[in-house]
Amino acid sequence: ELSVRNDTTMLEAYNCDRQKPGQKESVMPAEKQIYRADYVKQHFIHYSTVTATTVMPLKEYAAKYGRKRPFPDPLSRFIDEVNEGLMLHSKAIARQDTAGWKKNCHKDLKSIDQCRIGFPWPEDGSNKTNDKDGWEYNCYVNPRIDNYWAPLVKSCLKELGFM
């Protein structure tokens, strides 16, 4: 059965992203947004659909931004994950999402779905696609999380008596 060690934080457990850390080369679905609170007028789950820009009258908007449509928001951009900020998406994984993980994650077995368990690519620059046991690599570890944030979080949790 799959399990996470008791001394592993959520930050460490989910430190495995499908894109390499740093400036993203392509858009992923459901990218998260960070805005100043006074800019967002309506917030729906994690999409800020109504902002100070999108509620402008169309003529005013066109005069200011040189186009007629307020979507995508002209003030949104992708951040530099190395120098500005990073969002690590962590959430509970339902048991059915990990069912069949051995078939879905092993190079010698026929997968029936995508592998939802993280097997990080090695940092040695090799071109291998799986580890010595046959588990296929599918994500990248962010060293800033492992080397700075996770130890800081663990230290705080220990101070508070949670670890």
Side-chain angles (χ1 to χ4, degrees), residues 37-53:
D38 63 341
Y39 184 71
V40 177
K41 305 300 179 191
Q42 181 179 359
H43 192 78
F44 178 71
I45 306 177
H46 52 243
Y47 300 102
S48 300
T49 55
V50 180
T51 64
T53 304

Side-chain angles (χ1 to χ4, degrees), residues 77-133:
R77 66 177 175 81
F78 287 97
I79 65 165
D80 176 347
E81 288 188 355
V82 173
N83 299 304
E84 293 181 302
L86 170 72
M87 194 208 74
L88 180 69
H89 196 179
S90 63
K91 62 181 180 180
I93 296 177
R95 184 175 292 270
Q96 66 267 20
D97 288 342
T98 60
W101 74 273
K102 290 181 181 177
K103 278 187 174 182
N104 295 330
C105 302
H106 200 276
K107 71 176 186 72
D108 294 332
L109 302 174
K110 185 177 180 182
S111 70
I112 53 175
D113 196 4
Q114 73 180 29
C115 177
R116 297 179 190 269
I117 306 299
F119 291 97
W121 288 90
E123 294 180 22
D124 64 7
S126 71
N127 59 358
K128 292 187 281 183
T129 58
N130 56 270
D131 69 13
K132 62 180 176 41
D133 297 319

Side-chain angles (χ1 to χ4, degrees), residues 15-29 31 78 81 86 121 138-142:
N15 186 14
C16 214
D17 198 351
R18 297 205 183 275
Q19 291 182 315
K20 284 184 179 183
Q23 192 70 33
K24 299 298 184 206
E25 294 177 13
S26 63
V27 177
M28 288 186 68
E31 287 287 348
F78 287 97
E81 288 188 355
L86 170 72
W121 288 90
N138 61 1
C139 61
Y140 299 90
V141 168
N142 187 313

